[in-house]
Amino acid sequence: MNISEFDKDINQKLDKQVTRVVKLLSLSNKSIATAESCTGGLISELITSVPGASGVFEFGVCSYSNRIKHDVLGVDNRILDEFTEVSVQTAMAMAEGMRRISGADIAVSVTGIAGPGGGTPEKPVGTVFIGFSTENGCYARCPDLCGMGLNRDGIRKHTALSVFNEVELILMGENNNE
């Protein structure tokens, strides 16, 4: 598959999945909010591209810097210092902070390394942590994007797809991490 076919495939998957998630949110009378770092607002953009999103989307924060993660979302500086901004702990704290300030039923967060630079042997390009916070608790996922040969755009889009896949599971009561 060449890159343009790959891009078309991921874009079609994203469109289909985000439309399904917005519909499920609406049917279940639930709301969502986002705290994004490496996706830079892509998840919020995708949600708001769906008609009817205004009934389910609270708001999104593009918390690219650690200062915003701390000052706006309430991520403890000790978490950022000990575990770094690219960690399960930070993703969970971001999601919890977003749920607290938004009042949304589901808050999602994303933090990671989209590249092309910034990776290390311990955390290579493609390392991404996604946090989820609901009334039932908080947890994080780390989609396996390292070594897939994805560029920055591909990492961001596959991260967004992972978010929407998991939110669908939450809404269907099929996730087992809460």
Side-chain angles (χ1 to χ4, degrees):
M1 180 182 300
N2 67 38
I3 197 71
S4 63
E5 289 171 343
F6 174 78
D7 283 346
K8 184 178 176 185
D9 184 55
I10 189 66
N11 290 335
Q12 288 174 344
K13 286 179 181 176
L14 273 169
D15 288 345
K16 185 177 179 181
Q17 189 63 1
V18 71
T19 299
R20 185 168 37 240
V21 164
V22 169
K23 183 178 181 179
L24 286 169
L25 284 162
S26 182
L27 289 171
S28 61
N29 198 32
K30 297 217 182 274
S31 60
I32 191 167
T34 62
E36 302 180 64
S37 187
C38 68
T39 50
L42 176 64
I43 296 165
S44 297
E45 176 189 346
L46 289 165
I47 292 169
T48 59
S49 72
V50 178
S54 61
V56 300
F57 185 65
E58 291 294 331
F59 77 101
V61 170
C62 185
S63 54
Y64 220 71
S65 73
N66 284 352
R67 183 179 67 80
I68 298 302
K69 287 176 180 71
H70 173 75
D71 291 352
V72 175
L73 298 174
V75 177
D76 193 310
N77 281 325
R78 291 176 296 207
I79 290 173
L80 295 166
D81 291 342
E82 183 175 349
F83 301 104
T84 79
E85 63 274 16
V86 181
S87 65
V88 168
Q89 294 83 358
T90 297
M92 290 174 61
M94 289 170 64
E96 288 176 327
M98 178 47 86
R99 187 161 182 273
R100 183 182 65 254
I101 62 176
S102 71
D105 297 295
I106 301 170
V108 299
S109 68
V110 176
T111 185
I113 305 166
T120 66
E122 298 81 29
K123 293 180 183 176
V125 169
T127 301
V128 174
F129 296 96
I130 306 169
F132 301 89
S133 179
T134 71
E135 66 182 6
N136 297 321
C138 186
Y139 65 96
R141 293 257 193 248
C142 180
D144 188 13
L145 304 177
C146 301
M148 290 181 62
L150 297 172
N151 63 16
R152 183 178 183 82
D153 190 51
I155 290 168
R156 295 173 69 237
K157 287 178 178 178
H158 277 273
T159 298
L161 185 59
S162 294
V163 166
F164 295 127
N165 288 340
E166 187 68 17
V167 170
E168 180 179 13
L169 293 175
I170 291 169
L171 292 166
M172 301 298 289
E174 297 175 11
N175 71 317
N176 57 6
N177 282 81
E178 293 187 284

